[in-house]
Amino acid sequence: MVLFALRTLRHRRAAFAGAFVALLCASALVCGCGMLLETGLRGGAAPERYAAAPVLVAGDRYVRETVDKGDGESKVKAKALTDRRWVPSSLAGRLAAVPGVGRVVTEVTFPAVAGGRAFRGHGWESAGLTPFTLRSGRAPRAGDELVADAGAGLAAGARVDVETPAGRRTYRVVGVTAEALPSQGTLFFATGEARRLAGRPGLVSAIGVFPRAGGPAPDLTLALAGGAVAYTGDERGAVEFPDAEQARLKLVSLGGALGGTSLLVAILVVVGTFALSAQQRQREIALLRAVAATPAQVRGMLSGEALLVGAVAGALGSALGVGLGFWLRSAFVALGAMPENLRLVVSPFPALAAPAATVAAAWAAARISARRTARIRPVEALGEAALPVARLPLGRALAGAACAAGGVALTLVLSGLTSEAASGPVTMLTALVWTVAVALLAPALAGAAVALLAKALRASRVAGHLAAANLRAGSRRLASVITPLSLMTAMTCTILFAQTTMGDAAQEQAAASARADHVLASQVSRAAADAVRRVPGVEAVTEVLRTSVRVGLERFPAQAVTSPGLLATLDPGVVSGSLDGFGAGSVAVSGTAASRLGVTVGSPLRLALGDGAAAALRVSAVYERGLGLGDLLLPYELVRPHVDDPTSTVLVSAPTLGRAELERAVPGVAVLDRVEATAASAPNADVNLVAMGLIIAFTAIAAVNTLAMATSDRSRELALLRLVGTTRRQVLWMLRLETLAAVLVSAVTGTAVSLVTLAAFSRGMTGSALPYVPLPAYLAVVGSAAALALAATLLPARVVLRARPVEALGARA
């Protein structure tokens, strides 16, 4: 039957074009997402600053916890920290005393801004870690001197204002290096000045260890203490670039979710495509059955066709997927979600896994769609081919009911999920399961829709009467068209409006919590905040530092705030407890986080700060605006020494002052009013939209393929209509009305699926079952679906109608 399938493909290339394109796109998506997934699992950033140091000693990059597995067994789990864990500077002396160590080099690192450009600041003693050498000038000696890298555009003798966490100061450039790092600008200060600017007395960010030339590799194990770890190879890059580690974790979740969703969508789409192809070939299959072909042979033929199409599409799609992987990486780098130096892992595994998954999906789709066709009796098949009817087999009805029940269960689960990490994958799965239920029950839905729309269609005289009659007689074809269009509407609305729901809720809560008259944008130093406090007319100043903490191994977004005048600038919506006297040892928790953690006012709470430092606090208040402010409010002085960038956003209560007075007090710092600050705090969902937009494009392609296949197969029908006197214009209007009817049914079902899913998502994430759906965006989604559907229907129809009716009948015969 495989040879027979090959001959069938040669003579029915158009019939399999839709399945081929769908499988091609699926293979490309799976391969591209597989590359992202593998990069998240095995990728790494090569060291730049630490390139010359064979061994780097720095703090442990993970927070660890022992988890009880039951039966007396336990397991240590680790989660990455968001900030560097610094180590005692005294550790350098112990390392230098280890046999085999030639020299050690300490370094501190801190953010610096000069001339509007971001740099990393270091002490000149750490220049040998790269190494940096002087092209001109000399090393810095005094506190007001610095050396700039070759890419800074500064010349020796220049004076430059530098903003650091310690404040703004004017420095004189006394040297320029011969080197510049690819992904970071570098400024070197005198050693004492660098330690002062870093603000971590007695600590260093890393220690480079250089073995003695010609000697054995030193064993540093006994010298390491206080959470210090020795790193070699690309592990040094992970220490240098903590954001690369966070990007890797995001790539694992994003690549896995996107690849899995792509494959599920592919199966759903290809099942519909093969089912439509089987319907179009029902007479042919009936004749095969009539000449003694067994159901197993028919299934073998259809499966062979699917395997051949899947193999070719999978191989070509895999090649395209490699390019897609590079494009996705470039898009993520441009959006700031992935550092430039995180290298994309290119291996044969995604390129081999994608065709295998595609072939498996094609085979499964063919087997599912061929079950009823292969078992039908020859006489019954010939009868149905002559006059197809929309009957819903019992097995399909039961499967549809089971999927609907699964959709209900997932919807209930989704409504109880309160974190994006948990709700994201479940949201897409819920929409898919509901769409599968719609696909299985599509014949019944099509029959009901035809009954409702027939009267309205007949109001359009000839074209409307023809459209109503065609929909009634071809309701099985309508059912095949409904599935991809419903999938396109449901997936698009779910992806887009889950983001708008979260963004609107966060902005609404941020606006409700804002009491400050002015906001100084981020990267404001402590010195600048103090300068604002001294401005006459300023009533309260609150410094806000955004970070994340872990309670156990669970990560929570948090904000650290200064307590004096807090309630004059910020209203988190306290529902129990109080923020009066909020300070050392206190923590305020959002209602959502309190529910997840099982804490109330007065409960103790142990957590790990950004660099892993442990803190034991007591809950002083529970508030309701967690989406706008983060899940935890922490004391500013507790958090500031434990983050890589301690610069802040500053909230100012000064009702009698204008923007100009504050700008004079802190030159070079952007001053926003309350409305501007709220708009600037809107979450950025571009990364998710880029990634999931591929799924939207895939479903759109699938919808176009199905409609084009359905229209192309009607050449005989359209030719007969022309022969009995129907004009070309009437035929096109008939097709337009049929397509618009299909779009209407699909829009209703797809909207219903997305609304049910979004309501559950919104209920869990925001507490309200009303998602935020901007009307213009929704109309754009439905309008785009209608435009694609009309184009996919009318373009093939115009090609078919160009031929003379008699010629079309002859060609079809």
Side-chain angles (χ1 to χ4, degrees):
M1 295 302 289
V2 173
L3 292 176
F4 191 65
L6 183 60
R7 294 191 183 98
T8 305
L9 287 176
R10 288 173 56 193
H11 295 287
R12 296 186 63 90
R13 288 188 292 267
F16 291 97
F20 177 83
V21 173
L23 291 169
L24 178 78
C25 294
S27 179
L29 280 171
V30 171
C31 181
C33 296
M35 293 175 69
L36 296 182
L37 177 62
E38 189 174 15
T39 298
L41 293 172
R42 302 198 300 121
E48 295 178 0
R49 275 275 304 138
Y50 306 136
V55 180
L56 189 73
V57 174
D60 189 0
R61 298 184 293 113
Y62 297 93
V63 59
R64 304 175 191 274
E65 184 172 295
T66 301
V67 179
D68 186 8
K69 297 174 60 179
D71 298 329
E73 296 183 5
S74 61
K75 178 181 180 180
V76 177
K77 289 190 175 182
K79 293 290 185 180
L81 296 170
T82 55
D83 297 277
R84 293 179 178 87
R85 191 196 299 261
W86 289 40
V87 295
S89 56
S90 59
L91 178 60
R94 295 202 302 272
L95 293 171
V98 173
V101 171
R103 63 188 177 101
V104 297
V105 176
T106 60
E107 86 139 6
V108 295
T109 182
F110 52 89
V113 177
R117 181 183 167 191
F119 290 87
R120 303 301 300 180
H122 309 280
W124 177 251
E125 80 280 4
S126 64
L129 294 174
T130 306
F132 277 95
T133 58
L134 287 170
R135 183 182 66 192
S136 62
R138 60 172 175 82
R141 303 189 190 109
D144 63 345
E145 297 177 345
L146 65 79
V147 168
D149 69 20
L154 298 172
R159 304 189 72 85
V160 59
D161 290 334
V162 180
E163 185 80 27
T164 67
R168 176 183 290 261
R169 184 176 180 181
T170 301
Y171 291 87
R172 183 165 58 92
V173 179
V174 296
V176 177
T177 69
E179 299 81 15
L181 300 177
S183 63
Q184 54 187 306
T186 308
L187 298 177
F188 290 103
F189 301 83
T191 299
E193 177 70 359
R195 300 290 174 93
R196 182 187 74 82
L197 296 178
R200 303 270 190 113
L203 299 174
V204 293
S205 55
I207 303 172
V209 179
F210 294 81
R212 184 174 290 112
D219 184 1
L220 306 178
T221 306
L222 296 178
L224 298 177
V229 177
Y231 299 94
T232 59
D234 278 357
E235 290 180 336
R236 297 169 299 164
V239 175
E240 183 176 353
F241 303 106
D243 54 340
E245 187 69 14
Q246 301 303 317
R248 283 182 56 199
L249 297 175
K250 189 174 183 65
L251 288 179
V252 170
S253 60
L254 188 62
L258 189 59
T261 303
S262 303
L263 203 55
L264 289 174
V265 171
I267 293 174
L268 185 59
V269 167
V270 177
V271 164
T273 304
F274 276 116
L276 181 60
S277 176
Q279 289 174 26
Q280 295 171 352
R281 300 168 59 193
Q282 201 149 352
R283 182 183 295 274
E284 170 190 325
I285 293 171
L287 288 173
L288 288 174
R289 293 281 287 114
V291 296
T294 65
Q297 289 174 324
V298 172
R299 285 194 297 270
M301 178 191 72
L302 297 175
S303 298
E305 293 169 351
L307 290 173
L308 291 171
V309 173
V312 177
L316 293 177
S318 179
L320 295 175
V322 174
L324 178 63
F326 280 96
W327 179 85
L328 282 172
R329 179 191 179 277
S330 300
F332 290 168
V333 168
L335 293 170
M338 182 176 174
E340 175 67 32
N341 49 23
L342 179 57
R343 296 165 296 184
L344 188 69
V345 175
V346 181
S347 78
F349 298 112
L352 295 175
T358 304
V359 169
W363 182 84
R367 299 292 290 189
I368 292 170
S369 60
R371 285 178 62 84
R372 182 171 179 269
T373 303
R375 288 201 309 264
I376 200 166
R377 295 175 182 174
V379 176
E380 292 176 354
L382 287 169
E384 288 200 6
L387 186 61
V389 294
R391 288 184 300 197
L392 189 61
L394 178 60
R396 183 167 180 170
L398 292 175
C403 283
V408 170
L410 284 171
T411 301
L412 294 175
V413 169
L414 181 60
S415 65
L417 299 178
T418 57
S419 68
E420 283 193 85
S423 65
V426 178
T427 300
M428 300 308 302
L429 183 60
T430 302
L432 273 174
V433 170
W434 276 116
T435 307
V436 172
V438 169
L440 291 169
L441 301 174
L445 294 174
V450 169
L452 290 173
L453 295 174
K455 186 174 181 180
L457 288 172
R458 291 193 184 100
S460 180
R461 301 181 65 182
V462 176
H465 277 271
L466 288 172
N470 268 316
L471 288 174
R472 185 173 63 253
S475 55
R476 291 181 65 188
R477 181 173 60 236
L478 176 62
S480 298
V481 169
I482 286 174
T483 299
L485 286 174
S486 297
L487 178 64
M488 177 184 172
T489 304
M491 295 294 288
T492 305
C493 289
T494 300
I495 292 167
L496 291 180
F497 301 137
Q499 304 294 336
T500 60
T501 297
M502 287 296 295
D504 180 71
Q507 276 201 290
E508 183 178 340
Q509 292 188 13
S513 66
R515 288 185 174 179
D517 301 294
H518 303 283
V519 178
L520 276 62
S522 59
Q523 293 190 320
V524 179
S525 67
R526 168 57 65 87
D530 289 339
V532 172
R533 286 188 176 94
R534 295 191 293 268
V535 175
V538 171
E539 297 179 358
V541 171
T542 300
E543 295 174 69
V544 180
L545 183 60
R546 289 175 176 82
T547 184
S548 65
V549 300
R550 290 193 184 273
V551 180
L553 294 178
E554 188 173 4
R555 183 177 173 181
F556 291 88
Q559 292 194 64
V561 294
T562 51
S563 55
L566 174 62
L567 295 179
T569 59
L570 197 66
D571 177 16
V574 174
V575 294
S576 62
S578 173
L579 290 177
D580 293 332
F582 182 80
S586 301
V587 60
V589 185
S590 72
T592 300
S595 176
R596 285 159 58 186
L597 295 171
V599 298
T600 58
V601 174
S603 298
L605 184 62
R606 295 187 61 84
L607 52 84
L609 300 174
D611 66 349
L617 307 172
R618 190 165 296 275
V619 177
S620 63
V622 176
Y623 57 92
E624 62 181 355
R625 294 172 182 147
L627 287 177
L629 300 177
D631 283 324
L632 281 78
L633 287 179
L634 300 167
Y636 184 86
E637 298 301 336
L638 170 68
V639 173
R640 191 176 189 274
H642 301 284
V643 294
D644 290 341
D645 187 354
T647 55
S648 310
T649 297
V650 177
L651 311 179
V652 182
S653 175
T656 62
L657 295 181
R659 183 180 301 187
E661 289 87 344
L662 296 179
E663 288 176 342
R664 282 195 292 270
V666 282
V669 176
V671 179
L672 309 177
D673 61 27
R674 188 180 303 175
V675 175
E676 292 170 335
T678 300
S681 67
N684 183 6
D686 289 346
V687 173
N688 291 331
L689 293 180
V690 167
M692 301 310 292
L694 297 173
I695 300 293
I696 297 173
F698 181 27
T699 56
I701 291 170
V704 169
N705 282 337
T706 304
L707 285 162
M709 285 177 61
T711 304
S712 299
D713 188 63
R714 298 174 65 182
S715 58
R716 182 181 180 86
E717 172 193 331
L718 300 181
L720 285 172
L721 286 172
R722 294 294 310 281
L723 281 175
V724 297
T726 308
T727 66
R728 188 172 181 269
R729 183 178 179 183
Q730 288 171 334
V731 170
L732 290 175
W733 267 109
M734 175 196 75
L735 293 173
R736 289 189 186 99
L737 292 174
E738 290 181 26
T739 303
L740 290 175
V743 170
L744 178 61
V745 176
S746 303
V748 170
T749 54
T751 301
V753 166
S754 63
L755 279 180
V756 169
T757 304
L758 289 170
F761 171 81
S762 180
R763 177 69 180 82
M765 294 299 300
T766 70
S768 169
L770 294 176
Y772 178 65
V773 180
L775 184 59
Y778 173 73
L779 294 178
V781 171
V782 176
S784 299
L788 283 173
L790 287 171
T793 301
L794 296 179
L795 290 178
R798 290 181 183 276
V799 173
V800 170
L801 291 173
R802 284 176 186 169
R804 295 178 181 177
V806 176
E807 293 175 354
L809 286 172
R812 180 67 177 174

